[in-house]
Amino acid sequence: MSPTFSRRSALRLVGGAIAVAAAATSAGPAPLAHAESGSGAGPRVEGLIGRLTLDEKISLLHGATDPDSLGQAGYVPGVPRLGIPALRLADGPAGVRVTRHATALPAPVLLASAFDPALARRYGQVIGREGRALGQDVLLSPMVNLIRTPYAGRNFETFSEDPLLAGDLVAAEIRGIQGEGLIATVKHFALNNQEKDRQSVDVVVDEQTLHEVELRGFEAAVEAGTGAVMGAYNKVGGTYACENPMLLTDILRERWGFGGWVMTDWFAAHSTAAAIAAGLDMEMPDGTYFGAALKSAVRSGSVPEAYVDRAVRRVLAVMDRFGLLDGSVPARPARDAKAGAAVALEVAKAGATLLRNEHRALPLTGAAARSIAVVGPTGSLPFVSGGGSAHVVPDRADSPLDAIGSRAGRGAHVSYSLGEDLFGKPVPASALSPALSTEGQGIAAGQTWTYEGTLTVADADEWTLVIHYSGERPKVLLDGEDLFPVAPGYGEYFSGGLVSAAPDGLSVRRRTLDLAKGAHKVEITAKGGTGGQLFRLRRITGATRAQDVAEAVAAARAAHSVVLFAFEDATEGLDRTTIALPGHQERLIEAVSAANPRTTVVLNTSSSTSMPWLRRTAAVLQMYYPGQEGASATAAVLFGDCDPGGRLTQSFAVDDAHHPVAGDPRRYPGLDGTEEYSEGIHAGYRWYDAGGVRPLFPFGHGLSYTSFVYDGLRVRRDHHGLRASFTVRNTGRRAGIEVAQVYVGPSPDLGLDQAVRVLGGYERLALRAGERRRVTVRVASRTLSSWDARKHAWVLGTGRRTLWVGASSGDLRLSTAAEVRA
Ligand code: BGC
């Protein structure tokens, strides 16, 4: 018996009720024969369902402990007696996350900055092949949640604030992953656009916004044949995403015709009967609700066994598509680390986004390339990736300092200064009595070490106390206050990818306090645990900070040019509270660029950053988290071995008060557990355009080392869409990359809210000096359509519409009008 899905969801809304017409669509194109989409399970799957016991069926619907774990996130045991193999599920978006080495690719936001779906496909191919080589069957990636708030901790893991671009890239990446035989899992369905309160926040969104903004990427993933979908932690319209019939059944199954399976995010299940009825198929990583509880529910009749069969059918159907049930799956390949590294390098160069370049400060040539002061902690530490589940153990990673030094070559002088201390310096014997060893305190397994002493502060000052430790977190009391309490629950697992570990691998925690002059009581207890531990106490004070800045300033003065590395260390599980650079980096940039105006700031940040210091600098290069080859890519761009190929996939705000979610806690981060997407369809650059607010840098912005002119715009109708043709000419003296962008204005015929303009299409171009190219960009009818909540359908925006062509959403060079007809 096949259950019916005629239920209407009880979604709360900002304006009108959501109900989605139950029109199933085709499952979309098939990337490869074995990886095609489609909801129909074949006779093999039906035969297996007939032979599986209830216990066996249930074992396929939830995670369990892997007896042979490779450190991956999830495991589902198979049913060997029927030839059903186990599934191993690994993160993640920037490479395969197991405990072994893998290619640490640049963060997805850097990939997206290349505006190049073909590159996204190759990025997916690297992960697909490595996942299979590393014993995995399912990849927990890509993430396609839209960049809605600049504070969101996972903005580096996803693509863009623009739904068209995000959709193109997610589809290409999924085709790349699945073409290698690894099952992709698009995540997190849906509206997991922030980390703050992600486990509980209730998102209230109107139907038009839901479809036009957040869902387009997921729909593109389904069209590309994604095998699995991961439900989000948050609620949508009062119901958890993982038990939300509107999302999981009405939209995903009935409207989009998704034939794969839906798993929860980790520990995101909240019920048994409601969840399976709503369309959830698999609980991860354990069986709290879909294990024994599901069995009792079936036995007691509160869950029809047909629901269990339906979920099993969806899992097995995907396994069958990938050849996992009949042994037709290709043998696992060997890793190709060299090919992975080559793609990692190419992506980092292609996505490198040059935001500012005054007086051709970059590329570094002549004296500027021979006398360089490298400044900043991330100049000497490779900033490979963000934290959380997207963290990958890289094969290798150079520091930018080494890469710059070797590129500058013999005869060049490259100095290094820290500028901003992340890990602290030993507390001097004069301040701590009794003194602590500067090498650290070793504590043998099973032993407990205690310390009681006095910290004497000569003058009232801001102190950052830093602990480095290898095992269980030591307890450090200052005047009786526990400085580093262990937060309960899952949150503790997340800390930044870089700053939470010292260069030698010890865990690091910091606490900044204003300390009064005089004596302070210090008590420390550290346990050796089973493996013993090492403990170090470090400190950063106003005086050490001033010293670090003074050294950087002196080095900047002594050099011809400066490359200053600034960072922001993001992770899932946490949002940042400001878009300003953390710590004292702003002051460092001000001081260094005042000392040497030929200062280039390289940003290794997760997302947008405010730059009150911008005008003092010569150049700003956004590299995000550039992966294991990031140092070479950065050096290649700085020295002009390649053109900076990236463009912003999100608007950069001037400050914390001027961006789409500023100033209204109901909009972000939510009030009383509820968050309203009251900006409606005006996400990202649409919000800036609608309100006439100037961003610091607009969506699509990025400079080349050469210059381009646009002319000859013509627009023709193309079925229900449009075709814009224009010429782009490289007017400079070097080869370069341009990302030509087409934007489209509103339809006069729709009585619906529409954006001032939306991205209609784009083309990444590599042009030699003097080369001109005629470019044609298709604007699809979907992009010309709006979601009509009264009809619960897309409606084509007919009539005369303006088209612009330019180099960013704020740099529109050509425009014309064209008639759109149904
Ligand atoms: C994340 C998912 C990830 C999962 C498994 C969760 O915390 O939200 O994106 O796939 O963990 O590691």
Side-chain angles (χ1 to χ4, degrees):
M1 180 190 96
S2 132
T4 54
F5 306 98
S6 54
R7 176 195 318 93
R8 286 199 154 199
S9 65
L11 187 74
R12 276 197 288 132
L13 287 174
V14 172
I18 278 190
V20 178
T25 55
S26 97
L32 271 188
H34 72 270
E36 69 200 353
S37 189
S39 49
R44 185 169 22 248
V45 169
E46 293 307 330
L48 284 171
I49 292 174
R51 292 165 66 199
L52 285 163
T53 64
L54 180 61
D55 283 323
E56 287 169 338
K57 288 178 195 168
I58 285 176
S59 75
L60 293 170
L61 302 184
H62 65 84
T65 304
D66 184 354
D68 302 306
S69 176
L70 297 151
Q72 80 277 0
Y75 172 76
V76 178
V79 182
R81 85 177 174 92
L82 295 176
I84 301 174
L87 290 175
R88 292 194 164 77
L89 304 84
D91 285 297
V96 181
R97 179 172 162 260
V98 288
T99 38
R100 305 210 186 142
H101 291 273
T103 304
L105 289 154
V109 69
L110 190 59
L111 167 71
S113 307
F115 280 71
D116 187 352
L119 191 60
R121 187 170 187 145
R122 291 173 52 217
Y123 183 100
Q125 280 164 346
V126 170
I127 303 180
R129 175 173 179 150
E130 295 214 339
R132 293 221 64 239
L134 291 164
Q136 305 303 306
D137 309 289
V138 181
L139 186 79
L140 306 171
S141 167
M143 168 169 174
V144 74
N145 300 101
L146 226 65
I147 296 182
R148 171 179 182 259
T149 156
Y151 303 112
R154 298 183 88 166
N155 284 350
F156 68 94
E157 272 189 71
T158 188
F159 301 113
S160 178
E161 69 187 21
D162 182 75
L164 170 74
L165 180 62
D168 290 351
L169 297 171
V170 79
E173 189 182 334
I174 285 172
R175 292 194 168 105
I177 294 167
Q178 297 199 153
E180 298 296 312
L182 196 69
I183 300 166
T185 311
V186 68
K187 66 189 188 183
H188 311 83
F189 190 60
L191 300 157
N192 180 183
N193 305 104
Q194 70 191 50
E195 295 303 283
K196 175 107 178 66
D197 301 327
R198 68 173 176 169
Q199 313 270 0
S200 57
V201 71
D202 181 14
V203 176
V204 177
V205 62
D206 68 81
E207 188 177 323
Q208 185 186 357
T209 302
L210 179 67
H211 282 271
E212 287 186 23
V213 180
E214 170 81 347
L215 291 189
R216 277 192 72 181
F218 288 99
E219 187 177 3
V222 170
E223 279 172 11
T226 188
V229 170
M230 182 189 290
Y233 284 120
N234 48 281
K235 295 178 191 161
V236 177
T239 306
Y240 282 109
C242 285
E243 54 185 51
N244 194 309
M246 182 273 296
L247 288 176
L248 303 188
T249 293
D250 299 348
I251 293 177
L252 193 57
R253 303 285 175 189
E254 299 196 348
R255 177 162 288 281
W256 297 345
F258 176 59
W261 88 87
V262 179
M263 70 182 82
T264 62
D265 198 341
W266 266 228
F267 304 105
H270 293 275
S271 66
T272 302
I276 199 162
L280 180 70
D281 304 307
M282 182 184 280
E283 177 187 11
M284 288 307 290
D286 63 12
T288 307
Y289 295 98
F290 274 30
L294 181 56
K295 185 174 175 185
S296 327
V298 172
R299 285 273 147 81
S300 71
S302 58
V303 168
E305 191 164 346
Y307 282 10
V308 171
D309 289 352
R310 178 181 69 182
V312 170
R313 182 175 296 116
R314 291 168 176 166
V315 175
L316 292 183
V318 178
M319 292 178 73
D320 200 28
R321 260 173 61 196
F322 282 75
L324 294 169
L325 297 183
D326 64 354
S328 64
V329 58
R332 291 190 186 275
R335 267 196 75 206
D336 187 346
K338 219 168 137 200
V343 173
L345 179 64
E346 189 182 339
V347 171
K349 291 195 286 196
T353 308
L354 184 60
L355 298 176
R356 173 180 170 87
N357 194 15
E358 291 298 289
H359 312 298
R360 296 178 192 259
L362 292 183
L364 299 173
T365 52
R370 286 195 302 275
S371 163
I372 306 169
V374 174
V375 177
T378 47
S380 68
L381 288 174
F383 204 145
V384 173
S385 67
S389 59
H391 189 79
V392 176
V393 184
D395 279 315
R396 49 176 289 282
D398 289 338
S399 75
L401 177 63
D402 289 343
I404 290 171
S406 65
R407 177 57 184 79
R410 282 217 206 131
H413 185 259
V414 179
S415 68
Y416 175 71
S417 41
L418 184 61
E420 166 99 350
D421 189 359
L422 295 183
F423 302 111
K425 298 175 176 51
V427 184
S430 57
L432 203 58
S433 164
L436 279 176
S437 153
T438 53
E439 299 307 311
Q441 182 68 41
I443 302 132
Q447 300 294 303
T448 297
W449 171 77
T450 56
Y451 169 90
E452 246 191 78
T454 307
L455 176 72
T456 307
V457 173
D459 290 301
D461 197 358
E462 183 189 277
W463 278 60
T464 300
L465 283 162
V466 188
I467 53 169
H468 301 192
Y469 57 98
S470 56
E472 187 184 309
R473 179 153 342 147
K475 206 176 209 23
V476 179
L477 305 182
L478 186 76
D479 297 329
E481 186 193 347
D482 187 354
L483 294 187
F484 307 99
V486 178
Y490 206 26
E492 182 64 18
Y493 166 72
F494 298 111
S495 50
L498 180 90
V499 302
S500 60
D504 63 0
L506 295 199
S507 303
V508 173
R509 290 291 182 276
R510 303 169 182 76
R511 179 74 187 272
T512 299
L513 306 144
D514 286 322
L515 291 188
K517 177 178 172 166
H520 299 267
K521 186 173 177 194
V522 179
E523 296 158 88
I524 305 171
T525 311
K527 294 189 179 141
T530 49
Q533 90 144 284
L534 185 65
F535 169 78
R536 294 191 289 249
L537 181 67
R538 297 280 189 258
R539 62 77 165 97
I540 304 161
T541 64
T544 68
R545 235 173 233 134
Q547 180 63 27
D548 287 331
V549 172
E551 283 170 14
V553 164
R557 279 211 183 97
H560 189 90
S561 56
V562 178
V563 181
L564 190 157
F565 286 82
F567 75 95
E568 175 247 326
D569 196 18
T571 175
E572 84 169 86
L574 292 175
D575 279 357
R576 56 184 173 156
T577 51
T578 169
I579 60 171
L581 287 171
H584 293 71
Q585 296 182 95
E586 289 193 343
R587 267 192 261 160
L588 174 68
I589 297 174
E590 296 273 358
V592 167
S593 50
N596 187 336
R598 288 177 298 278
T599 293
T600 294
V601 175
V602 177
L603 291 169
N604 292 128
T605 56
S606 65
S607 184
S608 55
T609 304
S610 57
M611 305 180 200
W613 38 263
L614 183 68
R615 303 223 167 274
R616 284 187 184 278
T617 63
V620 178
L621 175 64
Q622 173 63 262
M623 292 299 295
Y624 299 104
Y625 301 151
Q628 67 175 46
E629 307 298 324
S632 315
T634 305
V637 175
L638 290 173
F639 287 88
D641 302 335
C642 62
D643 205 40
R647 303 295 182 264
L648 290 183
T649 67
Q650 63 197 298
S651 315
F652 275 36
V654 167
D655 58 30
D656 284 303
H658 299 91
H659 57 69
V661 299
D664 182 354
R666 274 169 308 188
R667 199 177 273 188
Y668 176 82
L671 207 55
D672 302 328
T674 297
E675 185 182 36
E676 293 176 7
Y677 282 30
S678 51
E679 74 281 13
I681 59 159
H682 302 284
Y685 60 89
R686 300 157 198 233
W687 178 87
Y688 290 89
D689 286 341
V693 179
R694 267 182 87 82
L696 180 63
F697 293 113
F699 174 86
H701 171 73
L703 303 170
S704 160
Y705 289 148
T706 181
S707 49
F708 299 92
V709 294
Y710 290 70
D711 61 33
L713 173 61
R714 304 263 174 287
V715 180
R716 276 189 298 146
R717 275 210 307 281
D718 177 36
H719 303 292
H720 302 305
L722 296 171
R723 239 172 224 276
S725 308
F726 50 93
T727 302
V728 182
R729 186 159 56 94
N730 180 345
T731 51
R733 272 180 279 157
R734 345 172 12 122
I737 304 289
E738 179 69 332
V739 177
Q741 299 156 44
V742 175
Y743 293 86
V744 56
S747 151
D749 298 344
L750 290 178
L752 297 170
D753 197 13
Q754 293 177 77
V756 172
R757 68 183 67 87
V758 299
L759 183 70
Y762 51 88
E763 182 81 20
R764 180 185 175 85
L765 303 163
L767 296 182
R768 293 186 307 275
E771 187 180 351
R772 82 168 43 226
R773 191 168 309 158
R774 190 81 191 151
V775 180
T776 300
V777 172
R778 238 192 115 230
V779 182
S781 61
R782 172 57 73 84
T783 307
L784 297 166
S785 302
S786 293
W787 181 268
D788 187 337
R790 292 160 307 191
K791 297 183 175 150
H792 313 300
W794 291 99
V795 186
L796 184 67
T798 52
R800 209 168 159 71
R801 303 188 67 165
T802 305
L803 261 92
W804 293 266
V805 174
S808 81
S809 65
D811 181 7
L812 305 168
R813 311 271 181 92
L814 310 171
S815 72
T816 189
E819 193 72 21
V820 175
R821 291 203 196 130

